[in-house]
Amino acid sequence: MSLLDIKNLQVDFPTRRGVFTAVREVTLSVEPGEILGCVGESGAGKSTIGNAVIGLLEPPGRMAEGEIDLRGERIDNLPYEAVRRIRGRKIGMIFQDPLTSLNPLQTIERQLVETITTHLPMSEAEARQKSIDLLDRVGIPDPEIRIQQYPHQFSGGMRQRVVIALALCADPEVIIADEPTTALDVSIQAQILDLVRELCRERQVGMIIITHDMGVIADITDRVAVMYRGKVVETGPTAKILGDPDHPYTKSLISAVPRPDVRLKRFPLVEYIESAGDARKALDISTHWLGQARDFSKMDGPLIRLKDLNMRFVTKNAILPKNRVYLDAVKDVSFDIEQGEVFGLVGESGSGKSTVARMIAGLYKPTGGAIHFAGGELTAIASEREKDIYRRQMQMIFQDPYSSLNPRMRVLDIVAEPIRFHGLAEDKAHTEEIVLDLLEHVGLGAAAAIKYPHEFSGGQRQRISIARALATRPRFLICDEPTSALDVSIQAQILNLLKDLQEELGLTMLFISHDLPVIRQMCDRVGVMRNGMLCEIAETEDLFENPQHPYSQHLLELMPRLEVLSQEGLEVEADHPTGAA
Amino acid sequence: MAREEIGKSEAAPASSLETGYERLGFWARIADNDVTYSFLRSPLVMAAAGITVTFILAAVFAPLVAPFDPFDPTQISLWDGKLPPAWVQGSNPAYFLGTDDQGRDLFSTILYGGRISLLVGFAAVFLSMALGIGLGVAAGYLGGWFDAFVMRLADVQLTIPGILTAILINGIARSVLPIELRDELAIYVVILAIGFSDWPQFARVTRAAALVEAEKEYIQAARVIGLRPFIIIVRHILPNVLRPALVLATIGLALAIIAEATLSFLGQGVPPTTPSLGTLIRIGNDYLFSGLWWITLFPALALVTLVLAVNLLGDWLRDALNPKLR
Amino acid sequence: MLSFIARRVLQAFVVMAVVSLVSFSLFNFVGDPVNNMVGQEASREDRLQIREELGLNDPIVIQFARFLGNAVQGEFGLSYRIRRPVSELIAERIPATLELVFVSALVALGLGIPFGVYTGIKRGTFASSTVLTVSLVGVSLPTFIIGIGLIYLFAVYLGWLPSSGRRGVEEIGWWRTSFLSIDGWRSIILPALTLSLFQVTMILRLVRAEMLEVMRTDYIKFARARGLSEQKINYGVALRNTLVPVITIVGLNVGGLIAFSVITETVFQWPGTGLMFIQAVDFVDIPIMAAYLCFVALIFVLINLVVDILYFVIDPRLRLSGGR
């Protein structure tokens, strides 16, 4: 008998098209003081397990099979009131987004005291004292003062600490944490994980961490359960699963994780996961349409040159200029991107990296500085017609595949739009021909053309976005976090595709990411940004092996090392020595 | 030249459009749609749709369906005035629902009145929709002073409730028109009055939706391609904000029908010579105390049934089109 | 907070200025004011003199400034039809309208909010779907039909209540109230009910929609996961978070009552400002129309101000950041 036993769990969601089984034959257990990781990609059913344990399945979901035991006593068939008394008291829960998890209209104190007095025989004063102690324990400074504040007065990381305090305040024996650090920046993520681990050991709480992030798993879990399509395919000690996996799914999942320590040629071909559609066709730039009529003027020197770029937003408007509040999103940023180079920008949220990309793409007008591109000064051109010449040479791929395609247009029209606008094809039939060809080159197959975006998965949509970006025959591609909304295995596919296209077309790229391992896989040179300023520019390998700026060192320290990961089947880039492994 | 080379390397790409993809037919897609599904599952909504369609058909074909023409003075005789419905003593079976004070057949007059109610309703909603959506989308996407101007204008107009605005516009327009044209143009004046009184609602809803869409990355992608604002608004934003506007239009139709009836009831709407449902109720109200209940009751029933059916449809449409509630 | 309220007051002034501009244009562009004042038989000289006296020959900006100055003092000139100062006419009739609106608002809020909360919490039960269906009928009933129906039932058929008019009025200073006598209450019941019924259903449905919206949020889910009782979740967490949007709705609806009082007052021959307005429209009595327009706008603007201030009381995010 363990602290928490999940036996043969099956959860069904009846829909009008039949019963959808989100989770089946899941058997897991947690001991006191143990951290169990539950890892899998989206749709694997990992969150459903957490919701089933605490009895909060979204309707119409229901437990169809199995049982859940807490200290040997069955809890899944109890009446509502009994389950309610277990929630918070015996089993606590932490959700992903600390910004929306707290009631905005109550002070932290009210929320803590209310939870404590609901479950424990304490007076208001005792509960308040306990709350203050707890806030102190989860690392909130001046708890006596801050307890009287409202959630909006706390930063994201601090709010997640409050959420943890709320989950712990009635001394539960089990905690279920559903993606507890996904919404947070790396540096805060590391602190929160440390805190969670300490609390778990100190209070002998059993914990299930549900996550898609191998870094989190490697960092704090004792054991791991790997989930795939509603089933647990493999369970075992963390070191064993990550270092020497048995199941082919686990193997391919691990091989898709971007390595922080080595640079790979490309990701090994990931089998077992969503098929990429038809195998993509390699293309030869010397004969292909994409290489034809490239009326780019020959030039020497860098393709892009940024000089003292500034962007200042007004965050609070006022009639008098002195009362206005500004935010300097980008401050005096200068760098060059050579032709054919992949230049990376890395930084935490709010560092200004996306703002730089948007200024280059012409979505924001800089408040100061100059952008030189392909021999022209973009910031000095006023006429739309003249801008079109440069726009055609420069395209952008966005972060969110679910919002970057117009849901009311067919894929054919989406990809054809830039061709039509810039008049790159001779006639209608020619346009169609080019679109179908492009779709094959991004690995989708021509049949995709007459479907609508909602018929595709996230990874496939990102391929459509890439096809649309290629349709103007660009020489420069801006990728703004192109894979951060995707699962690891899909991310590996898209990164491979971008690598192939970059090589075949000789593209110059600006690659923006918050994810250092991804940067290492993709970029030749990197700039590190913080608070709108550029801290350091270095060759990628130099940065990772020998960072100069203290902030770069700090970021690299926080990066999960993932040394335990299996190296099976990886092709390491030849001219660089392997890192720590 | 590039084209020929692609042609060679491709295995007839054009044909793959037709053959490569097994595709549901248009009607099969409609039948498989979630909205259709929720429609077919709710008998109340189906009944509402049936009633609405019946009303529309009856209005369109009123001259064929109605036993009398209430606008033809030769068919009306005061001798037949104030006759009760067929099942009440003292009635004339030719007039099934009885007659009004002028001797017009009530059933026929209701049919023709419904015609006016629906015409005014649809035309007014169309007017306010076109105005509101156009201004709202442009305001949401363009922002700046245009947005500020349109929205402040909407705010000011919302300060005066819609029905008051309609009464006001209607009253003023009538007083400005020459007397001989007043009755003739009354129906257009009513349409304008109601249409102009309701546009801020549409503008607000579409502006909010346009703001959400404008933030999405597909709009940014369109801007990176170089598309001009007008094309972006028409091709990308407009099709994506029509859903909420459609829901609003259904509810707006019900409100416009009520507004027309209210104006006519207050004596501000269409003249008694071409009675709408509201006018009939107004006439009937004068005779209610003398026991001629049918002149009020039947037009009122018709009006309420129509509005209720439209409201039911709007209510269902709002839920069916809202993915969060599914 | 002060700056926030100051900004709202400023906005209110702008709105009032625009509405006054509309009223002012009514005077100037609809019909000839001189004609309206003296009738057809006046001589040309008389007309010119009146024009001069009324200041109609002054530049339009000065005329507007004068109009504004008068309007601020409640001065809208003489009614064309009744030949009495509009301010006097309105002052006489305001108590009737405000009392009617007040009683209706109480009924609308007292029924609408509890039913809305109930149907929002007890989603999908038989009772709440019945309430919802009935409310849809309520939304579909035009105010004047409700009025006629109630008159027929309670006044004609049952004979319990008077069918029209305002009886049993007592005077407190210049304010004539119907709250102090049984007759007064008897005559206000039917019109108030008529006026409130549409608003009851409107408020009910909007409150329910907001309640459902809040019930879907993460903090409700987290509150459940902490084992708080349903009682606390529904009334402590959900209801309070619903209040902010609900107050806006309620504000707008109370304003809506004023508008619909035009219809109710006509049906019941209730001697309020709405009835006066409708009669004015019939005779194109511009001074009364203009004054009524300003009166309604003023009430709306005041309600909106109250709503803005209430936001501060309820929402700490506004209170603590000093407003957006």
Side-chain angles (χ1 to χ4, degrees), chain A residues 11-13 20-24 43-46 48 227 229-231:
Chain A
V11 176
D12 285 349
F13 285 83
F20 167 68
T21 301
V23 159
R24 72 170 83 219
K46 46 193 196 307
T48 308
M227 294 205 61
R229 298 216 173 141
K231 284 189 181 175

Side-chain angles (χ1 to χ4, degrees), chain A residues 107-119:
Chain A
T107 58
I108 304 302
E109 174 176 356
R110 277 281 1 119
Q111 303 190 37
L112 278 160
V113 168
E114 197 170 68
T115 312
I116 294 172
T117 51
T118 300
H119 292 297

Side-chain angles (χ1 to χ4, degrees), chain A residues 51 54 56 58 80 84 87-88 91 93-95 97 100-106 111 114-115 117-119 150 152-153 163 166-167 316, chain C residues 7 10 217-230 232 236-237 240-242 244 314-321 323-324:
Chain A
N51 290 339
I54 203 158
L56 285 176
E58 299 274 341
Y80 182 83
R84 185 182 67 70
R87 288 184 203 147
I91 305 176
M93 186 114 189
I94 300 169
F95 290 111
D97 191 353
T100 57
S101 289
L102 298 168
N103 179 1
L105 301 187
Q106 274 182 339
Q111 303 190 37
E114 197 170 68
T115 312
T117 51
T118 300
H119 292 297
Y150 290 91
H152 73 274
Q153 293 167 291
V163 168
L166 272 165
K316 200 177 157 200
Chain C
R7 211 165 338 146
L10 193 74
T217 56
D218 282 356
Y219 53 82
I220 293 289
K221 196 176 173 198
F222 189 48
R224 287 233 163 85
R226 277 181 284 149
L228 297 187
S229 65
E230 285 298 303
K232 272 186 185 147
V237 186
R240 263 197 82 188
N241 274 287
T242 315
V244 174
I314 293 172
D315 195 336
R317 284 166 291 189
L318 287 175
R319 194 161 64 228
L320 294 166
S321 65
R324 275 162 291 183

Side-chain angles (χ1 to χ4, degrees), chain A residues 303 305-307 309 360 366 368-383 386-387 390 394:
Chain A
L303 180 64
R305 163 161 282 170
L306 306 188
K307 205 156 176 336
L309 210 54
I360 298 175
I371 302 169
H372 296 271
F373 173 73
E377 189 181 343
L378 296 186
T379 33
I381 303 174
S383 123
E386 207 176 322
K387 276 187 193 165
Y390 295 99
M394 176 196 303

